[in-house]
Amino acid sequence: MTEPLHSAATHHLPSFITAPGETDVLMVVLSVILVLAVLMFGSLFFRLHSLPERMAHNSKKLQFEIVAVLCLIALFTHIHLFWVAALLLALIDIPDFSGSLSRIAGSAEKLAGFGPGEGAVDVPEGVERMAAAPATPDAAPASTPTSPPLAPAGTRS
């Protein structure tokens, strides 16, 4: 049952025009291509977005965590300055000052006549000492001068 064409229609139709009731092959092919393109673009976007994290992966833990947080902030806020800051931080190798500072502290303790780790006797409770050497139990904390309590504002002493 073929219906006759309309008198105004051409007798030769292009191949992408389908008859009524049949599957539109061009639309199916283009929708598959569109889905694949969106998935590939998303994959490329997330791979590019995680570039600073992958660059900072072998650096120090604190630097890596800062870079990761900056990348997440940039992802969720769409402020690209955070991503640029993360990329710059991943490229820069922050020097380790803790080794130099601990050597300076050790030298200052040695000059003051203390043993290794004994210079931190006035450290308040809850603050962890840098040295692993235990403090001697008979060492008394150094006395600190106490100042008189301050008078409340507006009163004369």
Side-chain angles (χ1 to χ4, degrees):
M1 256 173 118
T2 60
E3 295 181 22
L5 290 175
H6 191 272
S7 61
T10 61
H11 294 287
H12 182 277
L13 295 175
S15 61
F16 58 85
I17 296 180
T18 58
E22 292 184 14
T23 303
D24 192 357
V25 178
L26 182 64
M27 186 185 76
V28 171
V29 169
L30 286 180
S31 52
V32 167
I33 289 173
L34 178 67
V35 167
L36 289 176
V38 166
L39 289 176
M40 293 302 290
F41 180 75
S43 174
L44 175 70
F45 175 76
F46 285 125
R47 186 151 175 90
L48 179 66
H49 193 76
S50 68
L51 178 68
E53 286 181 84
R54 287 185 280 124
M55 289 173 62
H57 187 70
N58 295 330
S59 66
K60 297 170 202 56
K61 185 178 190 282
L62 179 65
Q63 183 178 0
F64 173 69
E65 288 178 358
I66 292 171
V67 168
V69 167
L70 284 172
C71 285
L72 282 176
I73 291 172
L75 178 67
F76 291 127
T77 62
H78 301 290
I79 299 174
H80 305 297
L81 187 62
F82 289 119
W83 186 84
V84 172
L87 184 64
L88 290 175
L89 187 59
L91 288 172
I92 297 171
D93 188 25
I94 298 176
D96 182 21
F97 293 114
S98 64
S100 301
L101 291 177
S102 63
R103 287 198 319 258
I104 292 170
S107 297
E109 286 176 343
K110 192 174 184 181
L111 285 172
F114 293 118
E118 290 180 358
V121 291
D122 289 334
V123 176
E125 291 296 324
V127 177
E128 187 178 323
R129 292 186 180 185
M130 295 292 289
T136 57
D138 58 339
S143 63
T144 57
T146 58
S147 60
L150 297 175
T155 61
R156 294 185 181 198
S157 52

